């Protein structure tokens, strides 16, 4: 069966990104457990349980930075123990959509837009999900817009009825983390952590 690991994500898109990165950078590992917690707070509440699980297998956790000032500030709040267990907590700055946007060529092709319209440093976007949705709103086909965008754009809910389905499919089928890491420092740090695990 080979080596095994677990994935924990705050939402479906983060799970898809982690799965793609594991398949790319940890090809000898099998994902035997994958949890989507429905929000960062739900992930953080269960950190002690995941730390315990990490004594048995690597655990890779993905969350968004959201409104915290920087990853170190958030990590200080979480107060992780300084141990050698294989617990990898990675933080997307400011949302996992910045990691998706960092593969400018493939995402712009997905929504039929111009890659020049995507910033070279999507980690610096104040609201990556909003940028992604507005970009798709301006360029995507009518069918894709219906899937990605809510009926009342700019109000709750923020995403359309098939946002997760279409974005996860794009991530698993087209998105290239080896390209995206070059324009997203927070993704690059996440991938480096996986590369370090692979080298053990």
């Amino acid at each position: 069966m080979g080596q095994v690991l677990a994935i924990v994500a705050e939402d479906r898109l983060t799970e898809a990104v982690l799965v793609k990165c594991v398949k790319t950078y940890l090809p000898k590992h099998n994902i035997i457990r994958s949890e989507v917690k429905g929000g960062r707070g739900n992930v953080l509440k269960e950190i002690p349980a995941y730390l315990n699980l990490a004594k048995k297998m690597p655990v890779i956790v993905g969350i968004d930075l959201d409104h915290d000032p920087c990853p170190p500030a958030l990590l200080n709040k979480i107060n992780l123990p300084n141990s050698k267990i294989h617990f990898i907590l990675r933080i997307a700055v400011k949302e996992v959509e910045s990691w998706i946007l960092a593969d400018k060529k493939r995402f712009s092709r997905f929504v039929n837009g111009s890659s020049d319209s995507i910033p070279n440093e999507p980690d610096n976007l104040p609201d990556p999900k909003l940028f992604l949705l507005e970009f798709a709103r301006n360029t995507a086909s009518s069918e894709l817009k219906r899937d990605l965008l809510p009926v009342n754009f700019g109000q709750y809910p923020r995403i359309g009825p098939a946002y997760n389905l279409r974005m996860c499919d794009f991530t698993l089928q087209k998105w290239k983390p080896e390209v995206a890491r070059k324009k997203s420092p927070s993704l690059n740090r996440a991938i480096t952590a996986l590369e370090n695990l692979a080298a053990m």
Side-chain angles (χ1 to χ4, degrees), residues 94-167:
K94 295 182 176 180
E95 295 170 307
V96 73
E97 280 82 0
S98 67
W99 292 2
I100 301 299
L101 290 165
D103 186 352
K104 296 175 54 173
K105 177 180 177 181
R106 287 167 187 82
F107 182 75
S108 60
R109 187 180 298 157
F110 173 57
V111 297
N112 195 34
S114 170
S115 62
D116 292 338
S117 299
I118 301 175
N120 284 324
E121 298 179 343
D123 280 14
N124 292 336
L125 288 168
D127 192 334
K129 180 176 289 180
L130 178 61
F131 178 90
L132 184 154
L133 290 170
E134 288 180 336
F135 187 37
R137 187 187 187 198
N138 291 329
T139 63
S141 67
S142 297
E143 180 184 2
L144 186 56
K145 286 180 186 179
R146 283 195 299 269
D147 288 344
L148 296 181
L149 302 172
V151 174
N152 297 313
F153 184 73
Q155 301 179 27
Y156 184 85
R158 293 188 70 194
I159 60 176
Y163 178 87
N164 284 325
L165 179 67
R166 297 295 292 263
M167 289 298 299

Side-chain angles (χ1 to χ4, degrees), residues 55-67:
K55 298 174 183 176
K56 303 174 183 178
M57 69 180 75
V59 178
I60 302 168
V61 179
I63 59 175
D64 290 344
L65 181 64
D66 290 333
H67 300 297

